[in-house]
Amino acid sequence: MKSMPLHVKIIIGLVLGVIYSFISSSLGWNEFTVNWIDPFGKIFIRILKFIAVPLVLFSIISGVASLKDVSTLGRMGAKTLGFYLATTVFAIGVGLFLVNVIKPGNFIEEEQRIKNRVKYELWVESATGGIPKDGRSFLTDPKYRAQLESALTVEEIEEYKKQVSKKPKSIEAKLNSANKTKNEGPLKFIVDMVPQNVILSVSNNKLMLQVIFFAIFFGLTIAICPKERVAPLVAIIDATNDVFLKMVDLVMKAAPFFVFCLLAGVIARMADTPAEVLEIFKSLSSYSITVVIGLGVMIFGIYPLIVKLFVKGVGYSKFFKNIAPAQFLAFSTSSSAATLPVTIECLEDNMGVSKKVASFVLPIGATVNMDGTSLYQAVAVVFLAQLHMVDLTMAQQMIIVMTATLSSIGAAAVPSAGLVMMIIVLQSVGLNPAWIAIVFPVDRILDMCRTVVNVTGDATVSTVIAQSEGELDLKN
Ligand code: ASP
C-alpha cells in the first residue's frame, strides 16, 4: 500500500466513493452521508483553497524576482496568452463540430420540440416584441399550422403565455449576475485585473487575477532593486513558498480519503436513489454524451498530441502519469482553483517544469484558460437551440466561438461557474437564458469532467512553454 503511487490511491478513493454512494442511496443512508461524510470533502476543498492564494502569491513573486532578464517575462506572457487562446478556440471548434454532427437535441421527440419552439417564440415576443432570428414562426406562419396543431391545443398555448411571464427565482438571480457582467464596458476586464487594495484581493478567492497582477509587479520590482538590499526579503519569500508546497504534500497524503468523502457527498446530494441518478442522466444522455466525447477528444487526443509534437521525451503514458493526481483532484473538486496547488506540484516535481514557468503560467491558466468550459458551453448552447427547433446560422456559431471564449476567460475557477457564464453565450445569439435550467440536472457531473480538461490544458501549455524557454528538465 505504501509504495502505491498517489494517483492509484486517489482512483481507489474515487471508485470506493461511487460504490459507497450507491450503497448509501439504496439503504437510505443519504442523510448520514451528507451529515457525517460530506463535511470532510468540504474541509479538503477549504484547505486547498486557503493554500492556493498564498501559494500563487509567493510562487509568482519568487519566480519573477529570480528573473535575470526582465524582458523574458513579456515574451513568456505573450506566448502563454496566445497559446491559451488558441487551445480555447480549438476546443470550441471541437465542441461545435460534434454538436452539429451528432445533433443531440434532435434525439428528443418531435412533439416535445415543437412545444419548446412555441414557448421560445412566445418568449421572443415578450422579450423583444419581434419574431425569432431564424425568421420562422410556428405561431403565425400557416406553413407550420399542421405541426403546431398536432402538438398543442389553444389552451396549452395560453398556459405557456402565462408561464413565460414568470421566471423562477434562482434563475433570475443567475441572470442578474450574468447581465451585470455583460453590461460592463469592453475594457472592464483589464480594470478588474488591477487591485485597489491587495489585502482585499488576497482575501477574495474570485480576485485571483488581481493577486497575480500584484505578485508580478512586486516580483519585477524586486528584480530591479539592488540584490544585497532585497536578499533577506527574497529568502523569506522563497522559504514561505517552500512551506506552502510542503503543506500541499501533506494534504495530498490524505487525498484518497478526502476524495472518497467528496464523491460520496456529491452523489448523495444529487439524488435519493441510484435509479434517480440514472434517470437524470437518461433524460439528457445525448447531450451529456456529446460533451463527454468532446472533452475526451481534448484529454486523450489533442493535449497528449500537442505535448508529443512540441516536447521530445514525454510520451502518452508519461504525460498522464505525471499529471494524474491533478486530474483526479480536478474531477473530485470541480474547481481549477482548488486544484492549483497540486497542479503546480505535479508540473514542477513530476514533469520537470521550472518553478519560474510553472508559477507564472499555471495560476494564469487556472483563471483564464478553460478549454473544457468553453467546449461545454458551445455544445450546450447549440443543443438547447436544437431542442427548441432553432436553426443557428454560421454567423451565429461564430458569435458562439467569440462569446464562449470570453465567457470561459471570465468564468471563475469554481464549481458551476461555466453554467452561469453560459447565460451570456445564450443571450448573444438571441436564445432564452433561462434555458440553463434544462441542462442544470447533469451540470455537476459534467462540471467534474470539464474541470479535468481545464487543468489538463493548463498543464499542457505550461509544459510546452517550459520547453520553448529551455526551462524543462525532464525527470526520469
Ligand atoms: N468548475 C470549472 C473550473 O473550476 C469552471 C466551470 O466550468 O464551471 O475549472
Side-chain angles (χ1 to χ4, degrees):
M1 188 78 183
K2 250 199 151 148
S3 59
M4 206 185 266
L6 181 62
H7 66 270
V8 177
K9 288 190 206 159
I10 297 181
I11 299 181
I12 296 176
L14 264 170
V15 174
L16 288 181
V18 174
I19 296 176
Y20 170 83
S21 66
F22 273 86
I23 299 175
S24 145
S25 50
S26 332
L27 300 181
W29 295 348
N30 273 2
E31 207 186 314
F32 169 83
T33 309
V34 170
N35 287 338
W36 295 95
I37 296 186
D38 185 49
F40 292 98
K42 291 207 177 101
I43 290 174
F44 183 48
I45 296 195
R46 280 180 174 228
I47 297 177
L48 287 170
K49 277 192 178 160
F50 85 62
I51 295 176
V53 176
L55 182 65
V56 165
L57 181 67
F58 291 110
S59 70
I60 294 185
I61 298 179
S62 116
V64 175
S66 69
L67 286 178
K68 297 213 171 47
D69 173 11
V70 177
S71 66
T72 326
L73 194 69
R75 193 185 57 224
M76 210 158 77
K79 254 199 264 183
T80 305
L81 293 181
F83 222 124
Y84 276 153
L85 199 65
T87 54
T88 302
V89 173
F90 187 87
I92 298 175
V94 171
L96 285 180
F97 173 78
L98 288 171
V99 75
N100 282 301
V101 170
I102 301 176
K103 297 196 179 16
N106 296 3
F107 283 62
I108 313 295
E109 271 174 35
E110 165 114 329
E111 193 175 308
Q112 182 58 46
R113 293 175 61 224
I114 297 174
K115 288 183 181 173
N116 291 345
R117 169 80 200 189
V118 169
K119 273 198 205 173
Y120 169 62
E121 288 181 12
L122 289 169
W123 173 79
V124 175
E125 201 181 283
S126 81
T128 67
I131 61 161
K133 285 191 179 165
D134 62 6
R136 299 197 295 165
S137 171
F138 275 60
L139 281 169
T140 54
D141 194 337
K143 218 168 56 192
Y144 303 108
R145 178 70 24 97
Q147 267 172 295
L148 180 67
E149 279 169 5
S150 74
L152 278 153
T153 60
V154 178
E155 291 78 42
E156 277 176 308
I157 296 181
E158 284 309 312
E159 181 56 43
Y160 280 175
K161 275 190 188 157
K162 271 190 234 145
Q163 279 176 19
V164 166
S165 51
K166 289 188 248 144
K167 262 184 238 142
K169 272 231 154 46
S170 60
I171 303 285
E172 190 131 43
K174 288 193 172 74
L175 285 180
N176 287 343
S177 82
N179 273 335
K180 237 171 67 204
T181 318
K182 206 184 104 200
N183 293 335
E184 286 154 354
L187 291 186
K188 181 76 170 59
F189 77 101
I190 300 185
V191 176
D192 281 345
M193 256 186 243
V194 185
Q196 315 195 45
N197 178 336
V198 186
I199 310 289
L200 283 185
S201 318
V202 169
S203 62
N204 185 342
N205 254 331
K206 296 209 178 93
L207 300 178
M208 191 77 106
L209 282 179
Q210 298 191 353
V211 177
I212 295 174
F213 180 92
F214 168 77
I216 295 177
F217 195 12
F218 196 75
L220 274 178
T221 315
I222 292 181
I224 53 176
C225 281
K227 282 254 154 350
E228 51 307 336
R229 288 285 293 153
V230 288
L233 180 62
V234 172
I236 291 178
I237 289 172
D238 284 348
T240 317
N241 189 34
D242 288 348
V243 173
F244 277 106
L245 278 173
K246 192 76 204 162
M247 277 172 129
V248 179
D249 247 3
L250 294 178
V251 186
M252 283 308 282
K253 288 204 175 20
F257 164 71
F258 284 131
V259 163
F260 165 83
C261 300
L262 268 173
L263 265 239
V266 165
I267 301 182
R269 261 183 286 109
M270 250 174 75
D272 281 333
T273 62
E276 267 178 53
V277 179
L278 289 180
E279 210 36 58
I280 292 176
F281 258 95
K282 262 207 278 176
S283 62
L284 288 165
S285 59
S286 56
Y287 154 70
S288 313
I289 290 171
T290 312
V291 175
V292 171
I293 294 178
L295 298 177
V297 168
M298 293 303 293
I299 297 183
F300 299 110
I302 308 301
Y303 295 132
L305 189 72
I306 294 178
V307 173
K308 215 175 157 61
L309 284 180
F310 287 93
V311 187
K312 293 249 156 347
V314 183
Y316 204 80
S317 59
K318 195 163 169 184
F319 175 70
F320 286 110
K321 204 171 124 228
N322 288 348
I323 60 167
Q327 289 180 312
F328 290 120
L329 211 63
F331 184 79
S332 341
T333 61
S334 286
S335 165
S336 322
T339 312
L340 183 61
V342 180
T343 319
I344 295 180
E345 201 187 51
C346 285
L347 270 291
E348 285 183 9
D349 295 356
N350 305 348
M351 196 74 89
V353 171
S354 75
K355 193 170 96 188
K356 200 164 81 190
V357 172
S359 65
F360 179 74
V361 179
L362 292 170
I364 295 181
T367 22
V368 307
N369 183 48
M370 297 198 182
D371 302 345
T373 302
S374 58
L375 183 150
Y376 136 87
Q377 286 177 337
V379 174
V381 169
V382 179
F383 163 75
L384 288 168
Q386 291 167 348
L387 198 64
H388 292 78
M389 289 192 150
V390 180
D391 289 328
L392 294 174
T393 59
M394 198 60 200
Q396 281 176 307
Q397 305 222 10
M398 284 299 122
I399 295 179
I400 295 182
V401 174
M402 239 172 60
T403 45
T405 305
L406 292 178
S407 80
S408 72
I409 291 175
V414 295
S416 283
L419 178 76
V420 178
M421 295 304 275
M422 196 166 82
I423 290 174
I424 295 175
V425 189
L426 282 166
Q427 284 178 327
S428 72
V429 283
L431 301 177
N432 186 349
W435 290 350
I436 56 167
I438 299 173
V439 288
F440 185 73
V442 278
D443 195 66
R444 181 60 202 237
I445 303 225
L446 295 182
D447 194 1
M448 294 159 96
C449 303
R450 65 186 187 248
T451 308
V452 179
V453 175
N454 293 346
V455 167
T456 312
D458 301 342
T460 304
V461 172
S462 70
T463 310
V464 174
I465 303 264
Q467 164 80 5
S468 75
E469 291 285 320
E471 295 278 343
L472 185 68
D473 173 19
L474 287 181
K475 319 256 155 131
N476 43 68

